[in-house]
Amino acid sequence: KEEKESLWEAFSGVFALLLVLMLIIVVITIYYNVLRYSYKRDFEKKDYNGKIYMLFIRILRHLKKEGFVMSPDETVLMLADRVKEHFRFEGVSFLEVAEIYMRYRYAEEAVTQEDYKMVAAFRTGLANKYRSENSKLTVWLEELIFLSRRKSLQ
């Protein structure tokens, strides 16, 4: 009888632990989807200038993962010079992306639809490269961290 009770207690403990773990996973997944929806909604509301800024932040994060970190005393052009032609997606290099970003950010020129398409193509290519080289869990966790910290980046 004691053996059955201790076995039942062990089973109950394991079951409770699994239930709590599943609940945590569900809550984190819901949180991730809410953040992703919020980011997508904010992105869609922006004009091309705002979209370029949001894409550029993501590009810098991907470049950092590839080993190209922009130091505090470095300009975007200096970073572009270091990146050179390491990454070219759909015929777009990081130097071209940097020039578009700088025109928007410093010359206060309006970004055209063509500029936006170029930056989006580069960002998509860089993201796809990263996805192909890392596990789905790693990509998902890094996206969760990015989305949860994005308000501080803007």
Side-chain angles (χ1 to χ4, degrees):
K1 186 174 179 181
E2 279 183 34
E3 195 174 300
K4 280 186 176 180
E5 287 178 8
S6 65
L7 190 59
W8 177 250
E9 288 174 6
F11 175 74
S12 297
V14 169
F15 181 74
L17 180 64
L18 288 176
L19 192 61
V20 168
L21 286 175
M22 287 179 56
L23 184 62
I24 289 171
I25 290 170
V26 167
V27 168
I28 290 173
T29 303
I30 290 170
Y31 178 64
Y32 169 77
N33 285 321
V34 167
L35 290 174
R36 203 170 96 185
Y37 172 77
S38 174
Y39 182 87
K40 186 177 180 181
R41 189 186 66 228
D42 290 349
F43 186 83
E44 289 172 355
K45 286 181 183 178
K46 303 276 186 194
D47 62 1
Y48 288 130
N49 291 353
K51 288 179 180 181
I52 288 288
Y53 180 78
M54 291 175 78
L55 289 175
F56 195 75
I57 294 295
R58 284 188 166 256
I59 288 169
L60 289 179
R61 287 182 57 89
H62 283 298
L63 287 176
K64 183 177 181 180
K65 293 171 194 164
E66 296 288 341
F68 294 98
V69 180
M70 191 167 141
S71 64
D73 61 335
E74 190 174 32
T75 66
V76 173
L77 277 182
M78 292 166 80
L79 177 63
D81 187 50
R82 280 194 304 120
V83 172
K84 296 201 186 295
E85 292 290 322
H86 283 90
F87 307 107
R88 181 174 276 280
F89 302 103
E90 295 189 32
V92 182
S93 70
F94 181 66
L95 178 60
E96 293 168 294
V97 170
E99 288 172 347
I100 292 168
Y101 174 76
M102 288 183 12
R103 278 198 333 259
Y104 146 70
R105 191 74 174 172
Y106 302 111
E108 298 180 0
E109 290 183 18
V111 175
T112 65
Q113 182 177 9
E114 185 62 33
D115 291 337
Y116 167 73
K117 286 180 181 179
M118 289 173 64
V119 174
F122 185 86
R123 189 265 178 209
T124 300
L126 197 57
N128 288 341
K129 178 185 182 308
Y130 182 75
R131 277 189 206 104
S132 71
E133 296 171 349
N134 292 280
S135 71
K136 288 183 179 182
L137 180 62
T138 300
V139 172
W140 187 84
L141 287 173
E142 288 185 359
E143 181 74 2
L144 175 64
I145 292 167
F146 171 78
L147 291 172
S148 64
R149 295 181 59 209
R150 81 178 177 94
K151 291 295 182 188
S152 66
L153 297 173
Q154 292 181 349

